[in-house]
Amino acid sequence: MLTEDEKLLQSPKDDMGAFTRSDPWRVMRITSEFVEGFDALSEIHKGVTIFGSARTGPDDPQYVAAQETARLLALQGFSIITGAGPGIMEAANKGAKQGGGHSVGCNIELPFEQGANPYVDTLVNFRYFFVRKTMFIKYSNAFIIFPGGFGTLDELFEALTLIQTGKIYQFPVILFGRHYWAGLVRWITSRLVGEGKISPGDLDLLLLTDDPAEAAQAVIDAHGAQIAAKSDKMNPG
């Protein structure tokens, strides 16, 4: 069965004449999905999205670390947002519940079945990846990136691009697991910086840590800076 994302990205076909199978019709569905997401998440003003592999088991140290990081942030009033699935996502939603915080899951339609983990308070289902990704950015004050695969890397580089191009500000991107990310950071340093593809200062957009407390404190500090920056804009001089 084709997902809605797959249908959208197909080249136009000769048999697409019926309006309900056409791209203009899909634009209406996309709009309704944005509206649903905005409505469901509109009360989140302190949010952190935690990414990582769906394949990480409960006995993995990274699962335990994600759970503790989310718990610490929930205690400070942050909503914890994930992709709603298993693995690191489940760990983060579980930590949010343990910290008495708001646990949010933004689920995505996939060719294979992915249900929401049992620790989600507010669940929003999406058909389109780009709508879901907008929600992650819009309602987050920071991203914490645990070890993961292509999807995790996609979210990482999307956030870095938005920061580098000035679309979002004071937005920490925290890489959790120094050993896991070390090779990527070395490559970024030697190739991207070394060959002038990015500026040396762009490396400062990343924070590497193995400590849940350090990760949580970085988010808390950044949120304070975000509040101060907004206050300065509203009260110049």
Side-chain angles (χ1 to χ4, degrees):
M1 179 178 174
L2 296 180
T3 65
E4 292 300 323
D5 256 337
E6 189 174 356
K7 293 175 185 176
L8 174 65
L9 296 174
Q10 285 181 333
S11 298
K13 302 291 191 301
D14 293 336
D15 62 350
M16 296 289 284
F19 181 67
T20 56
R21 297 197 302 273
S22 67
D23 288 337
W25 172 261
R26 290 198 179 92
V27 170
M28 296 172 65
R29 295 188 67 176
I30 291 166
T31 300
S32 70
E33 194 157 292
F34 272 113
V35 171
E36 180 183 356
F38 292 153
D39 184 56
L41 305 178
S42 62
E43 295 185 2
I44 297 176
H45 302 292
K46 286 176 65 175
V48 180
T49 299
I50 297 180
F51 297 103
S53 176
R55 306 180 186 188
T56 303
D59 295 331
D60 191 301
Q62 296 294 351
Y63 183 106
V64 176
Q67 183 177 325
E68 175 62 7
T69 302
R71 187 187 71 83
L72 292 173
L73 286 166
L75 288 172
Q76 295 299 315
F78 286 89
S79 296
I80 305 300
I81 308 169
T82 78
I88 292 296
M89 295 173 279
E90 176 185 288
N93 288 130
K94 184 177 181 180
K97 298 281 280 188
Q98 291 175 335
H102 185 201
S103 180
V104 180
C106 296
N107 199 19
I108 186 69
E109 178 188 60
L110 295 171
F112 46 89
E113 193 69 27
Q114 177 180 299
N117 69 68
Y119 303 104
V120 173
D121 295 320
T122 299
L123 176 66
V124 190
N125 291 302
F126 295 95
R127 299 184 182 92
Y128 300 99
F129 266 106
F130 63 91
V131 179
R132 179 183 185 235
K133 289 165 79 174
T134 299
M135 303 302 155
F136 285 143
I137 287 287
K138 182 174 177 63
Y139 294 103
S140 294
N141 299 102
F143 279 0
I144 303 179
I145 315 287
F146 279 79
F150 286 151
T152 301
L153 291 170
D154 178 50
E155 299 292 354
L156 164 63
F157 284 108
E158 175 118 33
L160 292 175
T161 301
L162 290 171
I163 298 167
Q164 186 193 51
T165 55
K167 305 299 183 184
I168 53 177
Y169 303 93
Q170 300 284 348
F171 192 98
V173 178
I174 300 161
L175 297 181
F176 201 102
R178 289 177 179 274
H179 180 73
Y180 187 85
W181 298 110
L184 176 62
V185 173
R186 282 196 300 269
W187 179 80
I188 290 173
T189 303
S190 63
R191 290 297 183 182
L192 301 190
V193 176
E195 297 182 10
K197 304 299 190 294
I198 63 173
S199 301
D202 289 335
L203 285 173
D204 296 335
L205 301 177
L206 294 168
L207 169 67
L208 275 77
T209 186
D210 292 310
D211 181 6
E214 183 180 15
Q217 191 60 51
V219 173
I220 294 165
D221 292 344
H223 182 258
Q226 291 164 357
I227 296 298
K230 288 180 181 178
S231 177
D232 289 343
K233 285 184 179 180
M234 293 177 66
N235 302 287

